[in-house]
Amino acid sequence: MTDAPQSPRPLAERLEPVALAMLLSFVCTLIGHIPDWRADLGRFQALFVVAFAAYGLAVMGRGRWRALPRAGTFVVLVALALRAAVLPVTPTLSDDVYRYAWEGRVLALGGDPYRQPPADSALVRFRDAEVHPHVNHPELRAIYPPLAEAGFALVARFWYSLLAFKLWVLLHDLVLCVLLVKWCRARGGSAWDALIYAWNPLVVTEYAGTAHHDPTGIVWLVAALLYAERRPVFSAAASITAVMVKLVALPVVPFLLRDWPARVRIIAVTVLSACLAGYLLLTRGPGSGLEAYANHWRHNDALFALIAGPWGDRTARVVALAAVVAIGVFVWRKRWSTLAATRVLMRAGLLLGPVVHPWYLGWVLAFECTGPSAGWLLLSCTVTLGYGAFVPPLDGGGYHPPLAWRLVEYGLPVLLTLGLMLWRGAVAARRGPPNLE
């Protein structure tokens, strides 16, 4: 008797993630070969949509791959390949990396970016042809917290180049991918869930391509949550590090405090309070980048626009902040888990904030691995409209999307979310109540 032929499905399941990874890598390579993403915005966004389609298929198919071996290694290696494909690109959609490099150089050579803006004549000796002419807002002093600045100085001290700063961000981003693989497994899920962040085209282009430094903070926040109960001292140190790299991590700290022993809480609150007080002292006064950002900057806002319309910009900032605090108090009183609170606060801060740059979404996407929302994942595609709508805007980096395009940008994810809710409701209704017999 001959053996029955094997089903082709297991082979297809093994080939499916490989094929999608190759497709995604190929499209990212094409994106990486565009010399100027801003000047050729239409081609960049068209290829980005293709990459997102391949990514979406991977997100939807990951449940079928749970039994495949070495998933974590595969996810991280593909993440590395995607980032390597866009690493050589000179950043043009944003010039923030030039600011990182400049302030790192000033600090490494004995200057003080919190006291001296790039336009300060006392810093003439530090100026160069590659970086200084591209530094944004040269009239403003440093905005980034001290640990971010320390990282910039460390890189500038050993290798002063844009590539070095890109590699600095890439290193943190890859460690973050490894942590997410570990976290997904620890939660009883699959390592494949980590691809929700690791393979996301927005994450790849904004961090490896444009070199925004957010992963240097996100990685510490994820570590703080991952080790909150098992290693509370490390978790506390990681949370303080995250906040002092980027303040967006601050709302999560009160929820982490619940997971730490009393002694760790006291030490963490004392150290963090001292660090924040020192940071605020450094950034106050005329020419403060932090004050300019908090009081005046506005770009690509979502719900903030609805508040600012009737009440004005200044009042809207107070109302938006109060709304985020109220949401935090609500989830605290309801005893939501730290992870659930983190997810809702990151989302609320993004939607209610006056500034929504595409790279901010990484703080949301890192936690989508624990339970993805189709609407939020789609937003990671449509948010690129914040750079312009398929043609380079005439005002370059000062572009603010008009209301019509913001309705597309935020409206499509909302429609997808509502559509899925109605579809699931209809499916549940057709099935009827569960049979209790």
Side-chain angles (χ1 to χ4, degrees):
M1 179 181 291
T2 60
D3 294 334
Q6 290 186 340
S7 169
R9 185 175 178 184
L11 178 60
E13 288 177 355
R14 288 194 296 271
L15 293 178
E16 187 178 19
V18 175
L20 289 173
M22 291 177 64
L23 174 59
L24 192 51
S25 299
F26 174 70
V27 179
C28 284
T29 301
L30 294 179
I31 293 175
H33 279 80
I34 301 175
D36 188 329
W37 290 356
R38 183 177 295 279
D40 205 351
L41 185 63
R43 186 152 64 112
F44 169 80
Q45 289 178 324
L47 287 172
F48 188 94
V49 170
V50 176
F52 186 83
Y55 163 76
L57 291 174
V59 172
M60 291 187 292
R62 74 190 193 286
R64 298 190 295 271
W65 311 335
R66 291 177 67 94
L68 298 181
R70 294 181 287 278
T73 301
F74 184 76
V75 167
V76 174
L77 287 177
V78 172
L80 174 59
L82 300 179
R83 286 153 176 78
V86 300
L87 189 67
V89 173
T90 299
T92 55
L93 289 177
S94 168
D95 49 17
D96 281 4
V97 67
Y98 294 97
R99 185 92 191 194
Y100 308 160
W102 170 258
E103 292 180 353
R105 176 179 173 84
V106 169
L107 191 58
L109 295 179
D112 184 357
Y114 287 115
R115 186 172 57 89
Q116 301 165 297
D120 192 328
S121 59
L123 300 180
V124 170
R125 66 187 188 280
F126 297 145
R127 294 177 184 174
D128 63 321
E130 180 186 8
V131 171
H132 184 266
H134 302 285
V135 175
N136 56 36
H137 302 287
E139 75 285 359
L140 295 178
R141 296 182 283 114
I143 184 176
Y144 304 108
L147 285 184
E149 294 289 343
F152 303 158
L154 179 66
V155 176
R157 176 67 179 81
F158 288 98
W159 184 14
Y160 180 63
S161 71
L162 294 185
L163 179 58
F165 282 87
K166 282 193 160 197
L167 291 173
W168 173 253
V169 174
L170 175 63
L171 173 64
H172 287 81
D173 203 24
L174 289 176
V175 173
L176 174 56
C177 292
V178 172
L179 280 181
L180 290 174
V181 167
K182 181 179 179 66
W183 198 11
C184 290
R185 284 174 172 163
R187 287 175 49 82
S190 166
W192 292 107
D193 294 335
L195 69 78
I196 293 170
Y197 174 89
W199 295 9
N200 186 284
L202 184 72
V203 169
V204 172
T205 54
E206 291 297 340
Y207 300 150
T210 309
H212 290 291
H213 78 120
D214 295 67
T216 65
I218 300 173
V219 66
W220 290 107
L221 183 59
V222 169
L225 269 69
L226 176 59
Y227 293 104
E229 296 181 358
R230 286 178 293 163
R231 299 176 61 185
V233 174
F234 173 78
S235 174
S239 67
I240 293 171
T241 302
V243 173
M244 299 315 295
V245 168
K246 203 156 188 180
L247 294 182
V248 68
L250 182 59
V252 182
V253 174
F255 295 91
L256 283 166
L257 289 172
R258 301 181 306 187
D259 300 326
W260 302 333
R263 184 172 60 179
V264 176
R265 295 178 196 171
I266 295 170
I267 296 173
V269 169
T270 302
V271 172
L272 182 57
S273 298
C275 290
L276 289 172
Y279 170 58
L280 293 176
L281 286 174
L282 289 171
T283 55
R284 67 177 182 172
S288 167
L290 181 62
E291 291 181 5
Y293 181 90
N295 296 326
H296 304 293
W297 288 3
R298 185 173 171 185
H299 174 74
N300 197 33
D301 44 310
L303 297 180
F304 182 85
L306 301 180
I307 305 172
W311 290 336
D313 185 270
R314 184 172 295 275
T315 302
R317 290 173 191 270
V318 176
V319 172
L321 178 60
V324 174
V325 172
I327 292 170
V329 171
F330 173 81
V331 298
W332 175 276
R333 290 175 61 89
K334 292 294 184 180
R335 303 294 299 177
W336 286 20
S337 70
T338 303
L339 174 59
T342 299
R343 296 186 69 183
V344 74
L345 287 170
M346 292 297 149
R347 293 174 173 184
L350 197 72
L351 293 178
L352 288 164
V355 180
V356 183
H357 290 306
W359 57 93
Y360 289 6
L361 219 63
W363 292 85
V364 172
L365 294 172
F367 300 99
E368 290 301 293
C369 300
T370 63
S373 160
W376 280 95
L377 295 186
L378 179 58
L379 181 59
S380 72
C381 178
T382 59
V383 75
T384 59
L385 291 171
Y387 289 123
F390 303 102
V391 293
L394 296 178
D395 39 3
Y399 172 75
H400 180 61
L403 179 60
W405 281 113
R406 277 183 285 152
L407 288 175
V408 174
E409 176 185 350
Y410 296 107
L412 289 178
V414 170
L415 290 175
L416 176 61
T417 300
L418 293 176
L420 288 174
M421 289 174 60
L422 292 174
W423 176 74
R424 289 166 183 158
V427 170
R430 283 198 300 270
R431 290 176 177 171
N435 188 353
L436 302 180
E437 294 183 358

